Amino acid sequence: MTDVDRLYPLGFPGVGEVGDRLPVWGEALLAAAALLVVVSAVVRTVRTARRARRGRRRR
């Protein structure tokens, strides 16, 4: 077993050594996932702020 086999046990396509880049589709999926994380965090923050303001007005 080589060092690479230990680093990447699942054997993702396009991933060989530590310095290798992801294929184009991998980079696109990674960027889309990062964008979804940021958008969901912003939406959650806005909703929480609105609920907090609404709760203060009612009391």
Coordinates of all heavy atoms in Angstrom, one line a residue:
M1 N 0.9 -1.2 0.0 CA 0.0 0.0 0.0 C 0.9 1.2 0.0 O 1.8 1.4 0.8 CB -0.9 0.0 1.2 CG -1.8 1.2 1.3 SD -2.9 1.2 2.7 CE -4.1 0.0 2.3
T2 N 0.6 2.1 -0.9 CA 1.4 3.4 -1.0 C 0.8 4.4 -0.1 O -0.3 4.3 0.4 CB 1.5 3.9 -2.5 OG1 0.1 4.3 -2.8 CG2 2.0 2.8 -3.4
D3 N 1.5 5.5 0.0 CA 1.0 6.7 0.8 C -0.2 7.2 0.2 O -1.1 7.7 0.9 CB 2.1 7.8 0.9 CG 3.3 7.4 1.7 OD1 3.1 6.5 2.6 OD2 4.4 7.9 1.5
V4 N -0.3 7.3 -1.1 CA -1.5 7.8 -1.8 C -2.7 6.9 -1.5 O -3.8 7.4 -1.3 CB -1.3 7.8 -3.3 CG1 -2.5 8.3 -4.0 CG2 -0.1 8.8 -3.6
D5 N -2.5 5.6 -1.4 CA -3.7 4.7 -1.1 C -4.2 5.0 0.3 O -5.4 4.9 0.6 CB -3.3 3.3 -1.2 CG -3.0 2.9 -2.7 OD1 -3.5 3.5 -3.6 OD2 -2.2 1.9 -2.9
R6 N -3.3 5.3 1.2 CA -3.7 5.6 2.6 C -4.4 7.0 2.6 O -5.3 7.2 3.4 CB -2.5 5.6 3.5 CG -2.2 4.2 4.0 CD -1.1 4.2 5.1 NE 0.0 3.5 4.5 CZ 1.2 4.0 4.3 NH1 1.5 5.2 4.7 NH2 2.2 3.3 3.8
L7 N -4.0 7.9 1.8 CA -4.6 9.3 1.9 C -6.0 9.3 1.2 O -6.9 10.0 1.7 CB -3.7 10.3 1.1 CG -2.4 10.7 1.8 CD1 -1.6 11.6 0.9 CD2 -2.7 11.4 3.1
Y8 N -6.2 8.5 0.2 CA -7.5 8.5 -0.5 C -8.0 7.1 -0.6 O -8.0 6.4 -1.7 CB -7.3 9.1 -1.9 CG -6.7 10.5 -1.9 CD1 -5.4 10.7 -2.2 CD2 -7.5 11.5 -1.6 CE1 -4.9 12.0 -2.2 CE2 -7.0 12.8 -1.6 CZ -5.7 13.0 -1.9 OH -5.2 14.3 -1.9
P9 N -8.6 6.6 0.5 CA -9.1 5.2 0.5 C -10.3 5.0 -0.4 O -10.5 3.9 -0.9 CB -9.4 5.0 1.9 CG -9.7 6.3 2.5 CD -8.8 7.2 1.8
L10 N -11.0 6.0 -0.8 CA -12.2 5.8 -1.6 C -11.9 5.8 -3.1 O -12.7 5.4 -3.9 CB -13.3 6.9 -1.3 CG -13.8 6.8 0.1 CD1 -14.8 7.9 0.3 CD2 -14.5 5.5 0.4
G11 N -10.7 6.4 -3.4 CA -10.3 6.4 -4.8 C -11.1 7.3 -5.7 O -11.6 6.8 -6.7
F12 N -11.4 8.5 -5.3 CA -12.1 9.4 -6.1 C -11.4 9.6 -7.5 O -10.2 9.7 -7.5 CB -12.3 10.8 -5.4 CG -13.2 10.7 -4.2 CD1 -12.6 10.9 -3.0 CD2 -14.5 10.5 -4.4 CE1 -13.5 10.8 -1.9 CE2 -15.3 10.4 -3.3 CZ -14.8 10.6 -2.0
P13 N -12.2 9.6 -8.6 CA -11.6 9.8 -9.9 C -10.9 11.2 -10.0 O -11.5 12.2 -9.5 CB -12.8 9.7 -10.8 CG -14.0 10.0 -10.0 CD -13.6 9.5 -8.6
G14 N -9.8 11.2 -10.6 CA -9.1 12.5 -10.7 C -8.2 12.9 -9.6 O -7.5 13.9 -9.6
V15 N -8.2 12.1 -8.5 CA -7.4 12.5 -7.3 C -6.4 11.4 -7.2 O -6.6 10.2 -7.0 CB -8.3 12.5 -6.0 CG1 -7.4 12.8 -4.8 CG2 -9.4 13.5 -6.2
G16 N -5.1 11.8 -7.3 CA -4.0 10.9 -7.2 C -3.1 11.2 -6.1 O -3.1 10.6 -5.1
E17 N -2.3 12.2 -6.4 CA -1.3 12.6 -5.3 C -1.8 13.9 -4.6 O -2.7 14.5 -5.0 CB 0.1 12.8 -6.0 CG 0.6 11.6 -6.6 CD 2.0 11.8 -7.3 OE1 2.5 12.9 -7.1 OE2 2.5 10.9 -7.9
V18 N -1.1 14.2 -3.6 CA -1.5 15.4 -2.8 C -1.6 16.7 -3.6 O -2.5 17.5 -3.4 CB -0.5 15.6 -1.6 CG1 -0.9 16.8 -0.8 CG2 -0.5 14.3 -0.7
G19 N -0.7 16.8 -4.6 CA -0.6 18.1 -5.3 C -1.6 18.1 -6.5 O -1.7 19.1 -7.2
D20 N -2.3 17.0 -6.8 CA -3.1 17.0 -8.0 C -4.4 17.8 -7.8 O -4.8 18.0 -6.7 CB -3.6 15.5 -8.2 CG -2.6 14.7 -8.9 OD1 -1.5 15.3 -9.3 OD2 -2.8 13.5 -9.0
R21 N -4.8 18.4 -8.9 CA -6.0 19.2 -8.9 C -7.3 18.3 -9.1 O -7.2 17.3 -9.8 CB -6.0 20.3 -9.9 CG -4.9 21.3 -9.6 CD -4.9 22.4 -10.6 NE -6.3 22.9 -10.6 CZ -6.7 24.1 -10.9 NH1 -5.8 25.0 -11.2 NH2 -7.9 24.5 -10.9
L22 N -8.4 18.8 -8.7 CA -9.7 18.1 -9.0 C -10.0 18.3 -10.5 O -9.6 19.3 -11.1 CB -10.8 18.7 -8.2 CG -10.8 18.4 -6.7 CD1 -11.9 19.2 -6.0 CD2 -11.0 16.9 -6.5
P23 N -10.7 17.4 -11.1 CA -11.2 17.7 -12.5 C -12.2 18.8 -12.5 O -12.7 19.3 -11.4 CB -11.9 16.3 -12.8 CG -12.2 15.6 -11.6 CD -11.2 16.1 -10.6
V24 N -12.5 19.3 -13.6 CA -13.4 20.5 -13.8 C -14.7 20.2 -13.1 O -15.2 21.1 -12.4 CB -13.6 20.8 -15.3 CG1 -14.6 22.0 -15.4 CG2 -12.3 21.2 -15.9
W25 N -15.3 19.1 -13.3 CA -16.6 18.8 -12.6 C -16.5 18.8 -11.1 O -17.4 19.2 -10.4 CB -17.2 17.5 -13.2 CG -16.4 16.3 -12.9 CD1 -15.5 15.7 -13.8 CD2 -16.4 15.5 -11.7 NE1 -15.0 14.6 -13.2 CE2 -15.5 14.4 -11.9 CE3 -17.1 15.5 -10.5 CZ2 -15.3 13.5 -10.9 CZ3 -16.9 14.6 -9.5 CH2 -15.9 13.6 -9.8
G26 N -15.4 18.3 -10.6 CA -15.2 18.3 -9.2 C -15.1 19.7 -8.6 O -15.6 20.0 -7.5
E27 N -14.3 20.6 -9.3 CA -14.2 21.9 -8.9 C -15.6 22.6 -8.9 O -15.9 23.4 -8.1 CB -13.2 22.7 -9.7 CG -11.8 22.2 -9.4 CD -10.8 23.0 -10.2 OE1 -11.1 24.0 -10.8 OE2 -9.6 22.7 -10.1
A28 N -16.4 22.3 -10.0 CA -17.7 22.9 -10.1 C -18.6 22.5 -9.0 O -19.3 23.3 -8.4 CB -18.3 22.6 -11.4
L29 N -18.6 21.2 -8.6 CA -19.4 20.7 -7.5 C -19.0 21.3 -6.2 O -19.8 21.7 -5.3 CB -19.3 19.2 -7.4 CG -20.1 18.5 -8.5 CD1 -19.9 17.0 -8.4 CD2 -21.6 18.7 -8.4
L30 N -17.7 21.5 -6.0 CA -17.1 22.0 -4.8 C -17.6 23.5 -4.7 O -18.0 23.9 -3.6 CB -15.6 21.9 -4.8 CG -14.9 22.2 -3.5 CD1 -15.4 21.2 -2.4 CD2 -13.4 22.1 -3.7
A31 N -17.5 24.2 -5.8 CA -17.9 25.6 -5.7 C -19.4 25.8 -5.5 O -19.9 26.6 -4.7 CB -17.6 26.3 -7.1
A32 N -20.2 24.9 -6.1 CA -21.7 24.9 -5.8 C -22.0 24.6 -4.4 O -22.9 25.2 -3.8 CB -22.4 23.9 -6.8
A33 N -21.3 23.6 -3.8 CA -21.5 23.3 -2.4 C -21.2 24.4 -1.5 O -21.9 24.7 -0.5 CB -20.7 22.0 -2.0
A34 N -20.1 25.1 -1.8 CA -19.6 26.2 -1.0 C -20.7 27.4 -1.1 O -21.0 28.0 -0.1 CB -18.3 26.7 -1.4
L35 N -21.2 27.6 -2.3 CA -22.2 28.6 -2.5 C -23.5 28.3 -1.7 O -24.1 29.2 -1.0 CB -22.5 28.8 -3.9 CG -23.5 29.9 -4.3 CD1 -23.0 31.3 -3.9 CD2 -23.8 29.9 -5.8
L36 N -23.9 27.1 -1.7 CA -25.1 26.7 -1.0 C -24.9 26.9 0.5 O -25.8 27.3 1.2 CB -25.4 25.2 -1.3 CG -26.1 24.9 -2.6 CD1 -26.2 23.4 -2.8 CD2 -27.5 25.6 -2.6
V37 N -23.7 26.6 1.0 CA -23.4 26.7 2.5 C -23.5 28.2 2.8 O -24.2 28.6 3.8 CB -22.1 26.2 2.8 CG1 -21.6 26.6 4.2 CG2 -22.1 24.7 2.7
V38 N -23.0 29.1 2.0 CA -23.0 30.5 2.3 C -24.4 31.0 2.2 O -24.9 31.8 3.1 CB -22.1 31.3 1.3 CG1 -22.3 32.8 1.5 CG2 -20.6 30.9 1.6
V39 N -25.2 30.7 1.2 CA -26.6 31.2 1.0 C -27.4 30.7 2.2 O -28.2 31.4 2.8 CB -27.1 30.7 -0.3 CG1 -28.6 31.0 -0.4 CG2 -26.4 31.5 -1.4
S40 N -27.3 29.4 2.6 CA -28.1 28.9 3.7 C -27.8 29.6 5.0 O -28.7 29.8 5.8 CB -28.0 27.4 3.8 OG -26.7 27.0 4.1
A41 N -26.5 29.9 5.2 CA -26.1 30.6 6.4 C -26.7 32.0 6.5 O -27.2 32.5 7.5 CB -24.6 30.6 6.6
V42 N -26.7 32.7 5.3 CA -27.3 34.0 5.3 C -28.8 34.0 5.5 O -29.3 34.8 6.3 CB -26.9 34.7 3.9 CG1 -27.7 36.0 3.7 CG2 -25.4 35.0 3.8
V43 N -29.5 33.1 4.9 CA -30.9 33.0 5.0 C -31.3 32.6 6.5 O -32.2 33.2 7.0 CB -31.5 31.9 4.1 CG1 -32.9 31.5 4.4 CG2 -31.4 32.3 2.6
R44 N -30.5 31.7 7.1 CA -30.8 31.4 8.5 C -30.5 32.6 9.4 O -31.3 32.9 10.3 CB -29.8 30.2 8.9 CG -30.2 29.7 10.3 CD -29.3 28.5 10.7 NE -29.1 27.6 9.6 CZ -28.0 27.1 9.1 NH1 -26.8 27.6 9.6 NH2 -27.9 26.2 8.2
T45 N -29.5 33.4 9.1 CA -29.2 34.6 9.9 C -30.3 35.6 9.8 O -30.8 36.2 10.8 CB -27.9 35.2 9.5 OG1 -26.9 34.2 9.7 CG2 -27.5 36.4 10.4
V46 N -30.8 35.8 8.6 CA -31.9 36.8 8.4 C -33.2 36.4 9.0 O -33.8 37.1 9.7 CB -32.1 37.0 6.8 CG1 -33.3 37.8 6.6 CG2 -30.9 37.7 6.2
R47 N -33.5 35.1 8.9 CA -34.7 34.6 9.6 C -34.6 34.7 11.1 O -35.6 35.1 11.7 CB -35.0 33.1 9.2 CG -35.5 33.0 7.8 CD -35.8 31.5 7.5 NE -36.3 31.3 6.1 CZ -36.4 30.2 5.6 NH1 -36.1 29.0 6.2 NH2 -36.9 30.1 4.3
T48 N -33.5 34.4 11.6 CA -33.3 34.5 13.1 C -33.5 35.9 13.5 O -34.1 36.2 14.6 CB -32.0 33.9 13.5 OG1 -31.9 32.6 13.0 CG2 -31.8 33.9 15.0
A49 N -32.9 36.9 12.8 CA -33.0 38.3 13.1 C -34.4 38.8 13.1 O -34.9 39.5 13.9 CB -32.1 39.1 12.2
R50 N -35.2 38.3 12.0 CA -36.5 38.7 11.9 C -37.4 38.2 13.1 O -38.2 38.9 13.6 CB -37.1 38.3 10.6 CG -36.7 39.1 9.4 CD -37.4 38.6 8.2 NE -36.9 39.3 7.0 CZ -37.2 39.0 5.8 NH1 -38.0 38.0 5.5 NH2 -36.7 39.8 4.8
R51 N -37.2 37.0 13.4 CA -37.9 36.4 14.5 C -37.6 37.1 15.8 O -38.5 37.3 16.7 CB -37.6 34.9 14.7 CG -38.2 34.0 13.6 CD -37.9 32.6 13.8 NE -38.4 31.8 12.6 CZ -37.9 30.7 12.2 NH1 -36.9 30.1 12.9 NH2 -38.3 30.0 11.2
A52 N -36.4 37.4 16.0 CA -36.0 38.1 17.3 C -36.6 39.5 17.4 O -37.1 39.9 18.4 CB -34.5 38.2 17.3
R53 N -36.7 40.2 16.2 CA -37.3 41.5 16.2 C -38.9 41.4 16.4 O -39.4 42.2 17.1 CB -37.1 42.2 14.9 CG -35.8 43.0 14.9 CD -35.6 43.7 13.6 NE -35.1 42.8 12.6 CZ -35.1 42.9 11.3 NH1 -35.6 44.0 10.8 NH2 -34.5 42.0 10.6
R54 N -39.5 40.4 15.8 CA -40.9 40.2 16.0 C -41.2 39.9 17.4 O -42.2 40.4 18.0 CB -41.4 39.0 15.1 CG -42.4 39.5 14.1 CD -42.9 38.3 13.3 NE -42.1 38.1 12.1 CZ -41.9 36.9 11.5 NH1 -42.5 35.8 12.0 NH2 -41.2 36.8 10.5
G55 N -40.4 39.1 18.1 CA -40.7 38.7 19.5 C -40.6 39.9 20.4 O -41.3 40.0 21.4
R56 N -39.6 40.9 20.1 CA -39.5 42.1 21.0 C -40.7 43.0 20.8 O -41.1 43.6 21.7 CB -38.2 42.8 20.6 CG -37.0 42.2 21.3 CD -35.8 43.1 21.1 NE -34.9 42.4 20.2 CZ -34.2 43.0 19.2 NH1 -34.3 44.2 19.0 NH2 -33.5 42.2 18.4
R57 N -41.3 43.1 19.6 CA -42.4 44.0 19.4 C -43.7 43.5 20.1 O -44.5 44.3 20.6 CB -42.7 44.1 17.9 CG -41.7 44.8 17.1 CD -42.0 44.9 15.7 NE -40.9 45.4 14.9 CZ -40.9 45.3 13.6 NH1 -41.8 44.8 12.9 NH2 -39.8 45.9 12.9
R58 N -43.9 42.2 20.2 CA -45.1 41.7 20.8 C -45.1 41.8 22.3 O -46.2 41.8 22.9 CB -45.3 40.2 20.4 CG -45.6 40.0 18.9 CD -45.7 38.5 18.6 NE -46.0 38.3 17.2 CZ -46.0 37.2 16.6 NH1 -45.8 36.1 17.3 NH2 -46.3 37.1 15.3
R59 N -44.0 41.8 22.9 CA -44.0 41.8 24.4 C -44.2 43.2 24.9 O -44.3 44.2 24.7 CB -42.6 41.3 24.9 CG -42.4 39.9 24.5 CD -41.1 39.4 25.0 NE -40.9 38.0 24.6 CZ -39.8 37.4 24.7 NH1 -38.7 37.9 25.2 NH2 -39.7 36.1 24.3

